[in-house]
Amino acid sequence: MADLARTLKESWSLVEEHQEKVAGYFYARIFLSHPDLRDLFPVQMDLQRSRLLHAIVTAVQTLDDPEKFDDYLRGLGRDHRKFHVEPEHYEVVGGALIESMRTYAGEQWSIEYDQAWADAYAVIAARMLAGADADPNPPYWYAEVVAHERRSQDIAVLTVQPLQPLEFRAGQYLSIETPKYQPRLWRTYSIANAPRRDNTLDFHVRAIGAGWVSSALVRRLAIGDMIKLAAPMGSMTLDRRSTRDAVFIAGGTGLAPIKSLLEELTRYNRTRWVHVFFGARNREDLYDLADLNRLAARYPWLSVVTACSDDPTFPGEQGNISEVVARYGPWSDHDFFVSGSGQMVKSTLKTLAELQVPSIRIKYDSFSDVD
């Protein structure tokens, strides 16, 4: 498996700088050979292209960790049921993928690379199909919006009620579609609460620029609207066996899964100190600080530190949240949970590495800035 992973990464490096073109060619091949598949995809394909490649590259990068590889692909297979993917579609996708990379790699592409990707894709497809086949749940759930609160110009907190029970673990995320506003366009959002008896789910959403789905969720969604929810995914969950103190680091609406984990901890934690670092550009973007402070006042084991990177008059910490975390500590014997934008997570992981925090103690979720 190690040799296969090395070959795949080597061949991917030949096309990585052309990945947008590779993705465009990939979809063109699929739609030309199977026009009927076009109806499974959204009208706006820009983000869909990047997400496909991200999923494939992530799968390849987890080859060296069989358990993580298997869990990721089974989850991906369950998630893809929302697209009404059939087993025969996997063969179409595999052929188009290899042809696309071969086209853009040019003369450096070899028969060895062809075979490596064919072998890897066969394993990827088999794991995804196994995950889809083993899932007794529907391809997606309909849910009614029962609460919608604007917390700032660009941020909303919404609560939905699935029409059927939806099982998940605190810290997980799922995909959302708004059939009324952007049909067939799915975007991932973390659930902001632990499982509840009434089955409701909270989401924290920031409208990003001209983001199709995020703008609809923040600015157009209304109480009574119906949305679709896909299968929960993600492994940023609590290990109840751990006795180490924990550090939660959130940037902006990356607070959502942190709130979910905190809610779970309030139900059983008596022995672990928990430190929350919540950062944003300005005080308005610290949209859920009042609730965090209420939790800290109620639970003696919880402390909250806030920071703004672009608000000189903010009375709390100043600077990027990763810089703030480095001022505290020591952190050598803590579990870490990191959630926020790609840039924020990358910066925080770099800081934690400099602080010599073992990577095995770090779980993280990184979210796109173009939703």
Side-chain angles (χ1 to χ4, degrees):
M1 190 69 83
D3 288 341
L4 176 61
R6 187 165 50 251
T7 302
L8 293 171
K9 291 173 184 176
E10 181 181 293
S11 59
W12 174 252
S13 69
L14 299 178
V15 300
E16 189 168 11
E17 64 182 62
H18 306 296
Q19 55 184 285
E20 286 298 321
K21 293 180 179 178
V22 171
Y25 187 93
F26 164 79
Y27 279 107
R29 292 304 308 163
I30 290 178
F31 298 153
L32 281 171
S33 61
H34 292 77
D36 55 306
L37 296 184
R38 184 63 183 89
D39 289 341
L40 301 183
F41 295 88
V43 175
Q44 300 90 3
M45 287 293 295
D46 292 348
L47 285 174
Q48 181 65 37
R49 285 197 287 267
S50 63
R51 286 168 191 276
L52 168 89
L53 284 172
H54 174 74
I56 292 171
V57 173
T58 300
V60 168
Q61 289 174 340
T62 60
L63 268 172
D64 294 332
D65 184 339
E67 184 176 348
K68 188 175 181 180
F69 178 74
D70 187 66
D71 288 346
Y72 175 76
L73 289 171
R74 286 177 178 271
L76 200 61
R78 289 192 297 272
D79 179 69
H80 271 63
R81 294 175 66 221
K82 67 177 184 272
F83 293 120
H84 303 288
V85 174
E86 300 293 339
E88 58 268 22
H89 296 155
Y90 281 84
E91 184 176 348
V92 176
V93 168
L97 174 65
I98 294 171
E99 183 180 344
S100 301
M101 289 190 291
R102 186 193 304 129
T103 298
Y104 281 92
E107 295 179 357
Q108 297 181 75
W109 194 262
S110 67
I111 294 176
E112 181 187 12
Y113 294 154
D114 251 25
Q115 190 59 54
W117 278 97
D119 292 345
Y121 185 78
V123 176
I124 288 171
R127 302 286 171 83
M128 288 180 66
L129 283 166
D133 289 343
D135 189 357
N137 294 304
Y140 47 77
W141 289 255
Y142 282 99
E144 180 182 359
V145 178
V146 295
H148 188 284
E149 181 186 354
R150 291 286 288 273
R151 294 285 179 88
S152 75
Q153 182 178 351
D154 299 323
I155 296 175
V157 173
L158 54 122
T159 302
V160 304
Q161 176 79 61
L163 302 190
Q164 297 173 266
L166 192 163
E167 294 184 3
F168 68 97
R169 290 192 64 189
Q172 288 192 304
Y173 60 88
L174 50 71
S175 297
I176 295 178
E177 181 200 0
T178 57
K180 182 177 178 180
Y181 305 109
Q182 295 295 337
R184 306 201 307 276
L185 201 56
W186 295 82
R187 293 291 178 266
T188 54
Y189 295 96
S190 286
I191 303 165
N193 60 280
R196 296 169 176 161
R197 290 182 179 179
D198 67 2
N199 205 35
T200 56
L201 307 175
D202 295 340
F203 296 96
H204 299 179
V205 184
R206 176 193 292 278
I208 303 295
W212 298 99
V213 176
S214 64
S215 292
L217 291 173
V218 172
R219 301 190 174 108
R220 303 175 69 185
L221 200 69
I223 292 174
D225 281 346
M226 301 297 294
I227 63 173
K228 291 180 182 178
L229 309 174
M233 297 177 65
S235 57
M236 198 177 79
T237 53
L238 289 168
D239 180 358
R240 290 203 177 197
R241 298 168 298 179
S242 177
T243 57
R244 285 186 291 271
D245 295 337
V247 180
F248 295 156
I249 309 172
T253 51
L255 181 65
I258 302 303
K259 285 290 297 291
S260 179
L261 296 169
L262 283 176
E263 188 173 314
E264 179 173 334
L265 281 166
T266 63
R267 298 174 183 176
Y268 74 87
N269 181 48
R270 297 292 182 273
T271 59
R272 302 173 71 181
W273 293 100
V274 177
H275 310 271
V276 174
F277 289 85
F278 180 28
R281 291 190 303 272
N282 54 58
R283 70 188 72 199
E284 183 184 53
D285 287 346
L286 297 172
Y287 63 93
D288 208 38
L289 184 54
D291 195 51
L292 277 179
N293 287 336
R294 279 194 293 270
L295 285 173
R298 183 174 180 181
Y299 298 97
W301 45 261
L302 175 62
S303 67
V304 176
V305 174
T306 54
C308 286
S309 60
D310 193 24
D311 189 345
T313 63
F314 179 65
E317 294 280 357
Q318 295 286 332
N320 293 326
I321 197 64
S322 59
E323 300 168 350
V324 174
V325 171
R327 297 173 199 157
Y328 289 72
W331 303 123
S332 57
D333 196 32
H334 289 67
D335 288 335
F336 278 80
F337 299 81
V338 184
S339 178
S341 69
Q343 182 179 357
M344 174 268 177
V345 170
K346 184 177 180 180
S347 174
T348 303
L349 294 180
K350 182 175 182 292
T351 297
L352 296 181
E354 292 169 351
L355 295 173
Q356 299 184 323
V357 176
S359 60
I360 195 171
R361 293 185 190 160
I362 305 171
K363 293 185 177 184
Y364 62 92
D365 268 338
S366 178
F367 296 94
S368 168
D369 291 332
V370 290
D371 282 332

